[in-house]
Amino acid sequence: MSVTKAPPAPEAEVRKPSTRRRLVPYWLLLPGILWLVVFFALPMVYQASTSVQTGSLEQGFEVTWHFRTYWDALADYYPQFVRSLLYAGTATLLCLLLGYPLAYLIAFRAGRWRNLVLVLVVAPFFTSFLIRTLAWKTILADGGAVVDVLDGLHVLDVTAWLGWTENNRVLATPMAVVCGLTYNFLPFMILPLYTSLERIDGRLHEAAGDLYATPATTFRKVTLPLSMPGVVSGTLLTFIPASGDYVNAELLGSTDTKMVGSVIQTQFLRVLDYPTAAALSFILMAVVLIVVTVYIRRSGTEDLV
Amino acid sequence: MPVLRMLRRNLVVIAGLLTLAYMILPNIVVMVFSLNRPVGRFNYAWQEFSLDAWKDPCGVADLCGSLSLSLRIAVWATVGATVLGTMIAFALVRYRFRARGAVNSLIFLPMAMPEVVMAASLLTLFLNMGAQLGFWTVLIAHIMFCLSFVVTAVKARVMSMDPRLEEAARDLYAGPVQTFVRVTLPIAAPGIAAGALLAFALSFDDFIITNFNAGSTVTFPMFVWGSAQRGTPVQINVIGTAMFVLAVALVLVGQLIANRRKSNAGH
């Protein structure tokens, strides 16, 4: 499906639309925007308010403009923050490295198998990701086939040296968590990449070949630059949810691999320390928004759709 | 050397297929272990072949109750998000108006937000309102976060539509409503369907936002999460396998219908 913005139809004569017609877009927008304002924007305000409150569930909470909560939260949970960004960044890079060849394959080399491969990429979406993540417990189990192969290839020696595994086991290590994150968000990388690659005119590759470019040069000078919108979309759609994820860390990791999402969940739902939880949530939001904004500016592709 | 050259030429294909295998492997494991009779409470190690779980997929308390609840929430979230999202998409593509930039930002932000942040902020809203956490708070949350994805999918489709088709309809004296129903809506339908499917998948599978805002209500993802701590019944693998097979079948049927429509259009 080719997505191109249709050129505006030339106006036979310029005249002001009637008042009723001018209001049509606002009527179309009103219900959806109201929903987002009330249930997305307004909650952010309440969260900000909660973060500067003090008190407890028994005594009640009141706004005391207690900004120190932010510093306390950062001091207490700095390792979880750094770990979350590191895991999310690593998973995003791996998604790009693993996803790009598959997207390229579907767009240019799959031929009549294209639809089947696309089905296999999309179908996992409709199976519970929790169930599929639990399956990694079996796949990465000690003494399992996968771990034995990795051990035999001495991959685990390298990862142990990097600090990502220990004692030839994979479960309950950073490697398992990153593996789960990469797996879960891979479709969000592949689909934007595929959409972007599909739009490239095959004749551009032929032209590059006619000008004696090697396949590697063609990729570096033609394919990759033209697919950058897909790369940007894919990396954002992967990094953003991964940074706040805690499911993979809980299911495949250990207490040493907890991510900040897990802390936020614990503080809100078990410890019931709402101000700290809200502050952590706000810090995470701020960090991610800053990263996203800087990334979009530097990549030069501000139109994500 | 010929083997090496062949490998080098097909490096992309090999890498792509390895990624595909990596993506499908867990589904295979889920399917295989749905035929397991585990020793103990956890279904992580293969023991003995058995069809017991397939004979009685609802044999675990609350499993199918949580499944039907998730289906109900997903259906209503899909309806709500698709209707609201389609309206927004048409407004954004077809009209020029003030506050367009602000609307675009409001649509983009939920997609630029870690889910746990949205989950936590919604919880603070509901706590302040004194709202009873349960079905309705979950549904509200699901419509909220699915909206942006529907807008994006429908917007892409509407932008690729040829406006001359609608002009032709008007030239033949069709009114605005008739033009919309007979021309615009059918052409936009694939984008709307894609948005709806995406909303359904995202809603049904959501765990983080639901976990924060469901109170004591248990959806299917929450049931699976709980079982990961207490003990994973084989029936969970049965449900997972059924979902995967059903999804593949539905997508393939969709492809066949689309292909048939294309070949018909060619005549």
Side-chain angles (χ1 to χ4, degrees):
Chain A
M1 183 178 82
S2 172
V3 177
T4 55
K5 188 156 189 173
E11 294 280 348
E13 52 181 318
V14 180
R15 53 188 166 84
K16 272 198 170 181
S18 65
T19 300
R20 224 177 82 162
R21 180 176 164 81
R22 210 181 311 136
L23 289 180
V24 170
Y26 295 106
W27 287 119
L28 286 173
L29 289 166
L30 192 61
I33 296 304
L34 259 185
W35 202 278
L36 284 176
V37 167
V38 173
F39 298 117
F40 174 76
L42 189 58
M44 294 297 165
V45 176
Y46 274 102
Q47 180 162 251
S49 166
T50 302
S51 69
V52 290
Q53 292 175 2
T54 50
S56 66
L57 212 58
E58 295 79 28
Q59 299 159 8
F61 294 93
E62 67 177 27
V63 176
T64 55
W65 304 107
H66 192 253
F67 284 100
R68 186 183 172 81
T69 304
Y70 281 87
W71 305 119
D72 291 343
L74 263 179
D76 290 343
Y77 301 107
Y78 164 90
Q80 284 88 342
F81 262 109
V82 173
R83 195 179 297 136
S84 292
L85 297 176
L86 190 62
Y87 288 177
T90 305
T92 301
L93 262 182
L94 288 173
C95 282
L96 183 56
L97 293 177
L98 293 175
Y100 203 106
L102 181 51
Y104 189 97
L105 168 67
I106 301 172
F108 298 120
R109 304 283 285 275
R112 62 200 169 98
W113 299 104
R114 171 185 286 205
N115 282 348
L116 178 61
V117 179
L118 269 177
V119 166
L120 291 177
V121 169
V122 171
F125 253 137
F126 295 93
T127 309
S128 168
F129 84 101
L130 283 167
I131 298 180
R132 291 181 285 119
T133 303
L134 281 173
W136 282 109
K137 277 196 173 227
T138 298
I139 297 167
L140 300 177
D142 302 340
V146 169
V147 174
D148 282 351
V149 168
L150 292 177
D151 193 23
L153 293 172
H154 298 291
V155 171
L156 297 189
D157 293 340
V158 176
T159 54
W161 180 80
L162 290 169
W164 291 86
T165 60
E166 67 182 76
N167 297 330
N168 294 342
R169 72 189 311 249
V170 179
L171 273 185
T173 68
M175 179 168 166
V177 177
V178 172
C179 172
L181 286 169
T182 303
Y183 169 76
N184 268 293
F185 297 113
L186 202 38
F188 290 98
M189 175 67 74
I190 292 172
L191 293 175
L193 281 177
Y194 162 71
T195 301
S196 207
L197 286 166
E198 194 202 18
R199 284 186 222 164
I200 297 177
D201 193 330
R203 289 173 293 187
L204 292 177
H205 292 139
E206 292 166 18
D210 289 347
L211 294 169
Y212 299 104
T214 66
T217 303
T218 302
F219 176 78
R220 197 177 73 251
K221 297 252 183 175
V222 177
T223 310
L224 186 57
L226 288 175
S227 65
M228 276 310 290
V231 172
V232 174
S233 293
T235 50
L236 287 175
L237 285 175
T238 303
F239 178 80
I240 291 170
S243 60
D245 184 79
Y246 60 86
V247 170
N248 287 278
E250 292 284 332
L251 293 184
L252 301 174
S254 69
T255 53
D256 293 331
T257 60
K258 278 205 183 296
M259 295 169 74
V260 68
S262 182
V263 179
I264 295 172
Q265 189 236 10
T266 302
Q267 296 296 317
F268 258 119
L269 300 182
R270 294 197 218 144
V271 179
L272 305 184
D273 184 353
Y274 297 147
T276 298
L280 284 167
S281 182
F282 240 85
I283 295 170
L284 177 61
M285 178 186 76
V287 169
V288 169
L289 282 184
I290 289 170
V291 169
V292 167
T293 304
V294 170
Y295 181 66
I296 290 178
R297 292 282 169 81
R298 286 179 62 91
S299 62
T301 55
E302 293 186 353
D303 189 11
L304 278 180
V305 181
Chain B
M1 286 317 263
V3 174
L4 268 181
R5 192 189 313 143
M6 170 112 162
L7 275 181
R8 193 146 157 259
R9 183 177 307 166
N10 293 290
L11 206 58
V12 167
V13 176
I14 294 168
L17 290 179
L18 282 175
T19 300
L20 190 62
Y22 170 66
M23 292 184 71
I24 297 300
L25 179 59
N27 283 99
I28 303 298
V29 170
V30 170
M31 291 171 89
V32 169
F33 275 73
S34 72
L35 303 167
N36 188 26
R37 175 181 286 144
V39 172
R41 293 178 299 138
F42 291 93
N43 186 19
Y44 295 142
W46 180 263
Q47 299 293 337
E48 178 187 338
F49 176 88
S50 169
L51 288 173
D52 288 349
W54 281 94
K55 292 171 187 170
D56 191 14
C58 290
V60 178
D62 298 329
L63 172 58
C64 285
S66 69
L67 186 61
S68 91
L69 175 63
S70 283
L71 284 171
R72 270 193 291 134
I73 291 172
V75 167
W76 285 115
T78 299
V79 171
T82 302
V83 172
L84 298 178
T86 299
M87 289 166 67
I88 293 177
F90 270 96
L92 286 174
V93 178
R94 284 308 180 71
Y95 297 91
R96 296 287 178 269
F97 56 93
R98 296 201 208 100
R100 205 159 173 280
V103 169
N104 269 317
S105 295
L106 191 55
I107 300 296
F108 172 72
L109 277 175
M111 291 190 290
M113 199 71 61
E115 217 180 330
V116 72
V117 174
M118 287 194 288
S121 66
L122 258 178
L123 179 59
T124 58
L125 173 74
F126 291 142
L127 289 176
N128 273 276
M129 288 171 56
Q132 181 78 44
L133 299 181
F135 177 90
W136 291 107
T137 51
V138 169
L139 180 57
I140 285 169
H142 284 209
I143 292 176
M144 182 273 289
F145 76 79
C146 290
L147 249 179
S148 299
F149 290 96
V150 173
V151 172
T152 302
V154 178
K155 189 179 170 187
R157 178 68 179 182
V158 175
M159 282 196 302
S160 69
M161 285 170 59
D162 191 338
R164 286 175 295 185
L165 292 175
E166 285 154 312
E167 288 166 19
R170 276 194 291 272
D171 287 348
L172 294 169
Y173 298 105
V177 172
Q178 199 176 7
T179 301
F180 181 79
V181 171
R182 295 287 208 119
V183 178
T184 310
L185 203 53
I187 297 175
I192 297 174
L197 259 186
L198 188 58
F200 184 91
L202 290 173
S203 170
F204 182 85
D205 212 17
D206 177 73
F207 168 70
I208 292 178
I209 285 181
T210 306
N211 190 35
F212 273 75
N213 293 284
S216 57
T217 303
V218 179
T219 61
F220 182 67
M222 289 174 71
F223 182 92
V224 176
W225 173 260
S227 75
Q229 329 290 335
R230 297 183 306 261
T232 46
V234 183
Q235 279 80 359
I236 279 180
N237 288 60
V238 172
I239 303 292
T241 302
M243 283 178 189
F244 181 67
V245 172
L246 190 63
V248 172
L250 279 176
V251 179
L252 284 176
V253 168
Q255 294 280 356
L256 283 178
I257 293 175
N259 288 342
R260 187 160 301 174
R261 192 164 289 153
K262 276 180 193 171
S263 60
N264 282 348
H267 290 88

